[in-house]
Amino acid sequence: MRDIKIQVNDLSLYYGEKKALNNISMQIPANKVTALIGPSGCGKSTFLRCINRMNDLIPSVKITGEMLVEGVDIYDKNVDVVNIRKKIGMVFQKSNPFPKSIYENVAYGPRINGLKDKTQLDEIVETSLRQAAIWDEFKDRLDDSALGLSGGQQQRLCIARTLAVSPDIILMDEPASALDPISTSKIEELVHELKEQYTIIIVTHNMQQAARTSDHTAFFYMGELIEMGKTNAIFTKPEKKQTEDYITGRFG
Amino acid sequence: MNSPLPIKQTFTKESLKKQFRLSEFLAEKIISSVAFLSIAIIFLIFIFVFKESLPLFSFGDKAKTEIQTTTGAEVETYGAETSTEEIQPETYGAPAENLEPESYGTTTEDLNPVVEEIAVTEPETYGTVTEDLNPDSASEEVVAIDEKVTGNKEGADKTWSTFFSTEWVPVSDNPRFGLIALLIGTLKVTVIAMLIAGPLAILAAVYTSCFASNRRKEIIKPIIEMLAAFPSVVIGFFAMMVLATFFQDIFGYDSRLNAFIGGVAMALAAIPIIYTISEDALSAVPKTYTEASLALGASKAQTAFSVILPAATPGIFAALLLGVGRVFGETMIALMATGNAALLSANPFESVRTFAATIGSEMAETVFGETHYSVLFFIGSLLFIFSFILNAVAEFYVKGKLIKKFQGK
């Protein structure tokens, strides 16, 4: 695993007294898709949210250990959380476009970064929508409200919105869990295309999805990282018994 | 297969037959009638208020007949003391010289034949008079009728033309009901109050819902809401005694009580209303929007002002409207803090008189059935109509536009 993007050392997370993540250490490679799998409540989403410090929003959370992104500990006191989130975008489980027009949704990120030039904004909106493969669907209705779109379109719009701030890393928290198979496959194709430029970490409940989309897979169970490796290896000959049980459907 | 239910459900035509549930039926009817009752009450209030101002709307022919009948009443009262021929010089002699070209010119011409007619057929006229007049006003004191006659003799047309004058002089030989001055006064106070209350309340709401920690929110919100329960008399008193002096020291204006002080005091009354409803609207914005915005690298402030605030626009707009309604109809603060002088000027530091304060201060002193009385009720209807129009325009036009602007089509 060369080109390590994220190096996690002994990361533990507490919700108040409860320990939700227990001494996680892993390496996430650059420009690859890494899937986090595991049963509900195993801490995979919590871990994902640690990567762009979304857990800061919850007052009772305490985090120990290191999370090095390109060698910089993002939990260092001198690191600005806003800048981290600009570099590390996130797509949520439930599509959450702003109650604005499609154009405004995508332009929001660049705008809050101080971009005012209309032609540049137009350009960014177009490239982002193209990258998310929805430009052709949306180009004639950019002024329509994003809330009128279907679930799959909304989710892809959210991806386009994330791309518009040109992050390095994209975190996806079960991006297709609420979508139908066609929309899901579109999102998966998208993930496949995007990995050339971005490092993608995707949380999923869907084992086939993990197998189809990811290069590496990490299996979480009860707040611990049980096993991590190449997706092929994990799905064909897992080293640990628990992983095998989960993947073959014996529990979880 | 064993059914988990204790009694096995059978689907026969009998068991699925429509049932009449009396208690449910009654409850439904009672609830709906209560709902309609509340609507009916509002309409009844409006109709009552408007009815009292109806005499103002009797133009032209109707106004003339009214003058005739009331002249009859006049004759009746004076008849006992003096002869009919003497009435004219006695009552109208002195003012006639000044006022004749203005208001009494036509009336005095009409008066003569009428008076003669009455003199001939006195019992007949007596009969019609009681039919036309209110029984109440017929039994009023002599002075009352005298004033009433003077008022009505002005004629509805005359009263209406004074509505658009700039003076509010309701009690005078030549009363002028310049609603424009009152309207400007009311608008001035409302604008000043909303300019102060709107930003303050909305910013406070943004702070509590987007920035404050939960503990602070739990302290701040009830305290501001408590201000809503403050009696307006207390706020008015505070404005009159404390704020007026305080701001006079700062700005150095002449009249201590003025539109600005009234506006500040009314802002105090409107802030809790606007704050509470805005805060609810802001807190109702889904947390997912906040997360999405923060995940894009927005700061807290950017999130609050570019995402949460626009998403809560309809609620905040409703809050502002309620605030306007409160200020518009606020009486006690207006009475105590605005100076109550119906001046027409653009200067916010001049005294003003609002619609509501006018009703509040003058209603107790007018004579029942007189023009002044009707005008006050007319102002009441105006307040009603204004708030109705304001709400309707906001609901159907502005709100839709705002939503389109902030949230796409």
Side-chain angles (χ1 to χ4, degrees):
Chain A
M1 280 206 271
R2 273 159 275 117
D3 286 336
I4 290 160
K5 196 79 181 173
I6 301 172
Q7 169 86 43
V8 186
N9 294 332
D10 277 335
L11 187 95
S12 295
L13 180 143
Y14 302 83
Y15 287 120
E17 292 296 303
K18 192 176 156 260
K19 200 171 191 181
L21 290 177
N22 190 9
N23 296 334
I24 309 281
S25 294
M26 61 159 42
Q27 294 171 324
I28 295 171
N31 290 41
K32 299 272 188 232
V33 178
T34 305
L36 310 180
I37 60 170
S40 295
C42 68
K44 55 192 189 307
S45 285
T46 304
F47 176 74
L48 190 76
R49 292 165 68 94
C50 283
I51 301 174
N52 69 345
R53 287 182 59 175
M54 286 307 275
N55 286 324
D56 288 13
L57 299 179
I58 305 161
S60 62
V61 162
K62 203 184 99 200
I63 293 165
T64 61
E66 279 183 323
M67 170 85 71
L68 303 170
V69 178
E70 292 182 340
V72 180
D73 184 6
I74 60 166
Y75 283 95
D76 191 275
K77 281 204 176 79
N78 297 322
V79 170
D80 188 54
V81 66
V82 167
N83 289 337
I84 291 169
R85 292 185 187 138
K86 277 175 191 160
K87 300 274 276 178
I88 307 176
M90 185 162 190
V91 177
F92 295 86
Q93 177 173 7
K94 198 165 162 284
S95 58
N96 53 359
F98 299 129
K100 298 170 187 278
S101 67
I102 293 171
Y103 181 92
E104 285 301 322
N105 259 287
V106 183
Y108 177 79
R111 248 181 236 241
I112 56 170
N113 288 333
L115 186 63
K116 291 203 178 72
D117 186 46
K118 182 83 171 100
T119 47
Q120 262 180 297
L121 273 178
D122 287 348
E123 218 169 276
I124 290 178
V125 170
E126 186 176 337
T127 43
S128 307
L129 288 174
R130 273 191 201 284
Q131 274 185 302
I134 42 175
W135 171 251
D136 292 331
E137 281 171 69
F138 289 171
K139 64 182 173 195
D140 298 325
R141 44 193 286 216
L142 289 174
D143 289 332
D144 287 9
S145 170
L147 298 183
L149 303 175
S150 75
Q153 288 175 324
Q154 284 190 3
Q155 193 62 293
R156 280 181 292 155
L157 178 64
C158 290
I159 294 174
R161 184 176 66 184
T162 307
L163 297 177
V165 287
S166 45
D168 278 356
I169 303 167
I170 299 175
L171 311 176
M172 294 185 172
D173 190 355
E174 300 184 45
S177 68
L179 304 179
D180 65 292
I182 295 171
S183 303
T184 304
S185 74
K186 279 184 184 161
I187 300 240
E188 283 175 15
E189 273 171 39
L190 194 56
V191 168
H192 200 73
E193 282 163 26
L194 290 176
K195 76 172 179 188
E196 285 174 17
Q197 297 173 50
Y198 306 93
T199 302
I200 295 173
I201 303 167
I202 182 168
V203 164
T204 178
H205 267 300
N206 184 332
M207 231 75 67
Q208 279 78 33
Q209 191 175 63
R212 281 195 300 263
T213 55
S214 67
D215 304 304
H216 297 267
T217 299
F219 173 61
F220 280 74
Y221 184 62
M222 302 282 279
E224 298 198 31
L225 177 66
I226 305 295
E227 191 176 350
M228 181 170 181
K230 288 228 157 66
T231 301
N232 274 341
I234 294 270
F235 278 91
T236 49
K237 40 181 189 306
E239 285 166 17
K240 302 258 173 67
K241 180 83 170 51
Q242 279 167 310
T243 317
E244 191 185 344
D245 286 350
Y246 183 72
I247 286 164
T248 52
R250 238 165 272 169
F251 80 97
Chain B
M1 275 236 332
N2 282 329
S3 160
L5 289 165
I7 305 160
K8 207 176 175 210
Q9 297 286 319
T10 50
F11 286 91
T12 59
K13 232 181 178 180
E14 195 56 37
S15 72
L16 294 175
K17 210 179 133 194
K18 250 191 183 170
Q19 280 182 347
F20 179 72
R21 297 177 179 85
L22 184 70
S23 57
E24 229 167 83
F25 175 78
L26 282 179
E28 216 174 89
K29 287 291 163 213
I30 289 170
I31 291 169
S32 55
S33 56
V34 166
F36 282 111
L37 188 70
S38 58
I39 296 171
I41 287 173
I42 291 174
F43 270 100
L44 284 177
I45 293 173
F46 179 70
I47 287 169
F48 173 77
V49 171
F50 188 69
K51 196 197 80 190
E52 293 295 319
S53 66
L54 261 189
L56 293 176
F57 292 91
S58 41
F59 294 105
D61 297 338
K62 220 192 155 198
K64 261 187 189 166
T65 52
E66 219 170 84
I67 289 165
Q68 283 175 8
T69 49
T70 39
T71 331
E74 184 197 19
V75 169
E76 176 205 328
T77 27
Y78 286 101
E81 296 166 21
T82 50
S83 71
T84 36
E85 277 157 30
E86 270 172 297
I87 290 171
Q88 250 195 305
E90 206 186 289
T91 346
Y92 300 103
E97 281 172 3
N98 300 333
L99 295 173
E100 224 169 12
E102 223 180 279
S103 55
Y104 295 103
T106 49
T107 330
T108 33
E109 277 169 31
D110 287 347
L111 213 63
N112 262 331
V114 177
V115 169
E116 276 166 23
E117 258 178 51
I118 290 161
V120 178
T121 60
E122 218 186 283
E124 253 185 60
T125 344
Y126 198 84
T128 49
V129 168
T130 33
E131 269 172 20
D132 286 347
L133 278 178
N134 247 335
D136 284 348
S137 57
S139 61
E140 286 280 337
E141 279 180 303
V142 179
V143 189
I145 291 172
D146 192 357
E147 271 185 30
K148 184 184 160 179
V149 167
T150 334
N152 274 341
K153 203 168 278 174
E154 299 276 313
D157 301 301
K158 172 74 182 155
T159 313
W160 274 90
S161 66
T162 67
F163 279 179
F164 302 102
S165 78
T166 55
E167 286 172 307
W168 176 260
V169 190
V171 183
S172 142
D173 285 342
N174 182 22
R176 278 145 290 165
F177 302 101
L179 294 186
I180 298 294
L182 298 185
L183 178 67
I184 297 295
T186 311
L187 290 182
K188 229 158 88 178
V189 174
T190 308
V191 167
I192 291 169
M194 290 314 288
L195 282 181
I196 297 168
L200 276 184
I202 292 173
L203 285 180
V206 168
Y207 170 73
T208 34
S209 81
C210 305
F211 295 96
S213 64
N214 271 346
R215 236 186 89 228
R216 279 203 191 152
K217 183 178 169 178
E218 275 160 26
I219 298 170
I220 292 172
K221 203 175 180 209
I223 288 180
I224 297 185
E225 280 168 3
M226 220 157 67
L227 201 62
F230 247 61
S232 48
V233 158
V234 178
I235 296 177
F237 181 70
F238 173 69
M240 194 164 83
M241 303 310 293
V242 182
L243 287 182
T245 316
F246 177 71
F247 282 112
Q248 196 174 32
D249 289 346
I250 295 176
F251 295 111
Y253 42 72
D254 294 332
S255 43
R256 217 173 135 269
L257 298 177
N258 53 46
F260 177 72
I261 294 298
V264 171
M266 286 197 201
L268 290 182
I271 280 174
I273 297 176
I274 303 174
Y275 168 82
T276 313
I277 298 173
S278 307
E279 213 278 333
D280 288 345
L282 288 168
S283 296
V285 173
K287 283 278 164 289
T288 55
Y289 294 163
T290 318
E291 282 190 339
S293 172
L294 291 176
L296 285 169
S299 65
K300 264 186 172 181
Q302 285 170 328
T303 306
F305 289 105
S306 333
V307 175
I308 302 179
L309 207 56
T313 307
I316 288 174
F317 196 68
L320 286 176
L321 267 189
L322 278 178
V324 170
R326 169 85 204 251
V327 172
F328 214 70
E330 180 55 59
T331 310
M332 194 42 85
I333 294 174
L335 268 177
M336 295 173 82
T338 56
N340 280 320
L343 302 176
L344 194 68
S345 85
N347 185 354
F349 297 117
E350 293 274 3
S351 293
V352 294
R353 191 183 190 90
T354 69
F355 279 149
T358 306
I359 300 177
S361 62
E362 292 174 15
M363 189 51 91
E365 294 167 20
T366 81
V367 179
F368 182 85
E370 199 205 340
T371 310
H372 185 198
Y373 173 89
S374 301
V375 169
L376 289 184
F377 270 98
F378 181 64
I379 291 175
S381 326
L382 276 187
L383 280 177
F384 205 100
I385 292 168
F386 274 149
S387 62
F388 182 76
I389 291 176
L390 187 73
N391 277 298
V393 168
E395 187 67 31
F396 297 116
Y397 184 71
V398 184
K399 209 163 141 188
K401 269 207 152 175
L402 273 182
I403 292 175
K404 246 182 218 161
K405 188 178 167 214
F406 286 116
Q407 310 188 351
K409 274 172 213 162

